[in-house]
């Protein structure tokens, strides 16, 4: 019985509305893909079916690797659940820090209308979560050590909704800490300012804004259905086509569209690229990046790459020090 429970717990994300891959969101993404192809791309029903369920995408070597990584990572995540405790520790530390400051009193805005507090908290949690995701993602591309880890996600040559799980466990831990920090800041700041009236507007236990993000096809970001928005909207929200462009190996798409839900961060910090109509994109890593070929390679290569980077830095540092002292 226990073994059976362990097995089903691997797939529990499919039944959890807090996860992008929840079956309800997947079904809606399918519907959106169909409607997009039939209404906007003017394809016939049978062509739309063939396109959406393209075997070449779902049974490619890359997608099969995604499915294996999904199962292996879920097994890993059973061991890193203590991260949840870290989240509470971070929130408490920030709360205590604010409490010690003289310039503001705890519960200072206690009289503010409860509806306003809950609406602003719901928005604040969503925005800070999205912004920290943008920032960490940008660092993942900027710093060599982090790129060694993030490369696993970019080694996907076909995209399916499961590709969102194609990340090295180290990336999972980094994003877990990021989430702890973002939620810690949001919860403690609001508790501090508004007292105990802090709450979220939720649907099925999910922040209403995250829920809207998921029911409007968040899964299509990792797919071969290139849905773009009106250009003005792509300055505000990242369309599926814009994230697909982030995975493209074309030079003009390097370091573009790091955002998850909101495009405003990319717009503000100069990394926005609007989608391009019906352009065939090639996904994956450049030939000089030597993508991993098997599971052992996928999981161990980042460690090897990081140790190479560190020893190269140490060598350079030693040479520079020697040069300074020999002058
Ligand atoms: Zn990336
Ligand atoms: Zn991606």
């Amino acid at each position: 019985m226990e073994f059976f429970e362990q097995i089903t717990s691997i797939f529990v994300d499919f039944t959890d509305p807090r996860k992008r891959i929840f079956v309800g969101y997947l079904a809606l993404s399918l519907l959106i893909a169909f409607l997009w192809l039939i209404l906007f791309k003017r394809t016939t029903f049978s062509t739309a079916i063939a396109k959406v369920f393209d075997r070449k995408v779902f049974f490619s070597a890359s997608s099969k690797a995604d499915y294996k990584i999904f199962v292996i990572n879920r097994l890993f995540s059973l061991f890193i659940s203590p991260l949840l405790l870290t989240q509470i520790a971070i929130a408490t530390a920030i709360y205590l820090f604010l409490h010690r400051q003289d310039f503001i009193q705890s519960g200072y805005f206690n009289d503010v209308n409860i509806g306003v507090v809950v609406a602003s908290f719901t928005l604040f949690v969503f925005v800070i979560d999205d912004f920290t995701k943008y920032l960490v993602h940008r660092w993942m591309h900027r710093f060599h050590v982090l790129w060694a880890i993030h490369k696993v996600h970019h080694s996907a040559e076909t995209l399916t909704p499961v590709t969102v799980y194609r990340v090295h466990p180290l990336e999972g831990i980094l994003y877990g800490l990021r989430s702890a920090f973002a939620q810690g800041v949001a919860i403690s700041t609001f508790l501090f300012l508004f007292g105990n009236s802090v709450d979220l507007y939720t649907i099925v236990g999910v922040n209403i804004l995250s829920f809207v993000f998921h029911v409007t096809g968040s899964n299509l970001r990792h797919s071969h259905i290139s849905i773009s928005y009106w250009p003005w909207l792509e300055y505000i929200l990242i369309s599926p086509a814009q994230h697909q462009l982030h995975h493209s190996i074309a030079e003009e798409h390097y370091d573009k569209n790091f955002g998850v839900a909101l495009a405003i961060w990319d717009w503000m910090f100069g990394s926005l690229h609007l989608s391009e109509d019906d352009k065939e994109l090639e996904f994956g890593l450049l030939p000089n990046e030597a993508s991993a070929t098997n599971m052992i390679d996928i999981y161990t290569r980042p460690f090897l790459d990081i140790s190479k980077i560190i020893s190269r830095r140490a060598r350079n540092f030693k040479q520079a020090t020697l040069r300074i002292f020999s002058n």
Side-chain angles (χ1 to χ4, degrees), residues 96-144:
L96 291 175
F97 170 77
L98 287 170
H99 213 75
R100 264 189 254 117
Q101 309 307 308
D102 300 330
F103 63 91
I104 198 153
Q105 307 228 308
S106 171
Y108 195 72
F109 302 106
N110 260 345
D111 318 331
V112 177
N113 176 288
I114 177 91
V116 174
V117 176
V118 176
S120 5
F121 184 60
T122 306
L123 179 67
F124 189 68
V125 166
F126 181 77
V127 170
I128 194 171
D129 192 60
D130 199 69
F131 177 62
T132 51
K133 278 178 186 161
Y134 167 83
L135 210 57
V136 174
H137 190 186
R138 203 173 169 141
W139 292 339
M140 286 280 180
H141 283 255
R142 167 95 171 73
F143 300 107
H144 288 116

Side-chain angles (χ1 to χ4, degrees), residues 51-121:
K51 171 88 179 161
V52 169
F53 297 107
D54 191 344
R55 289 178 58 86
K56 288 209 289 298
V57 172
F58 288 99
F59 295 103
S60 71
S62 172
S63 295
K64 283 181 190 163
D66 288 1
Y67 309 144
K68 286 184 201 158
I69 294 169
F70 169 81
V71 172
I72 297 168
N73 280 0
R74 289 293 304 144
L75 290 171
F76 270 119
S77 73
L78 296 176
F79 298 104
I80 57 168
S81 46
L83 270 175
L84 285 173
L85 287 176
T86 320
Q87 189 171 318
I88 296 165
I90 292 174
T92 313
I94 295 168
Y95 182 78
L96 291 175
F97 170 77
L98 287 170
H99 213 75
R100 264 189 254 117
Q101 309 307 308
D102 300 330
F103 63 91
I104 198 153
Q105 307 228 308
S106 171
Y108 195 72
F109 302 106
N110 260 345
D111 318 331
V112 177
N113 176 288
I114 177 91
V116 174
V117 176
V118 176
S120 5
F121 184 60

Side-chain angles (χ1 to χ4, degrees), residues 69-233:
I69 294 169
F70 169 81
V71 172
I72 297 168
N73 280 0
R74 289 293 304 144
L75 290 171
F76 270 119
S77 73
L78 296 176
F79 298 104
I80 57 168
S81 46
L83 270 175
L84 285 173
L85 287 176
T86 320
Q87 189 171 318
I88 296 165
I90 292 174
T92 313
I94 295 168
Y95 182 78
L96 291 175
F97 170 77
L98 287 170
H99 213 75
R100 264 189 254 117
Q101 309 307 308
D102 300 330
F103 63 91
I104 198 153
Q105 307 228 308
S106 171
Y108 195 72
F109 302 106
N110 260 345
D111 318 331
V112 177
N113 176 288
I114 177 91
V116 174
V117 176
V118 176
S120 5
F121 184 60
T122 306
L123 179 67
F124 189 68
V125 166
F126 181 77
V127 170
I128 194 171
D129 192 60
D130 199 69
F131 177 62
T132 51
K133 278 178 186 161
Y134 167 83
L135 210 57
V136 174
H137 190 186
R138 203 173 169 141
W139 292 339
M140 286 280 180
H141 283 255
R142 167 95 171 73
F143 300 107
H144 288 116
V145 168
L146 296 179
W147 173 243
I149 299 167
H150 187 52
K151 242 160 68 166
V152 171
H153 183 62
H154 281 272
S155 64
E157 288 170 358
T158 46
L159 305 178
T160 78
V162 180
T163 311
V164 77
Y165 287 86
R166 188 191 182 107
V167 287
H168 194 272
L170 287 177
E171 181 165 340
I173 292 172
L174 282 174
Y175 271 85
L177 289 171
R178 175 215 59 81
S179 161
F181 175 78
Q183 295 194 32
V185 169
I187 293 167
S188 54
T189 310
F190 267 70
L191 273 181
F192 188 78
L193 295 175
F194 301 101
N196 290 330
S197 54
V198 171
D199 203 356
L200 274 178
Y201 280 125
T202 58
I203 294 184
V204 289
V206 188
N207 183 324
I208 191 166
L209 296 170
S210 305
F211 183 79
V212 171
F213 171 60
H214 290 314
V215 296
T216 49
S218 64
N219 279 297
L220 294 167
R221 266 134 239 275
H222 294 115
S223 81
H224 54 295
I225 311 295
S226 178
I227 295 183
S228 51
Y229 299 155
W230 295 286
W232 64 267
L233 190 56

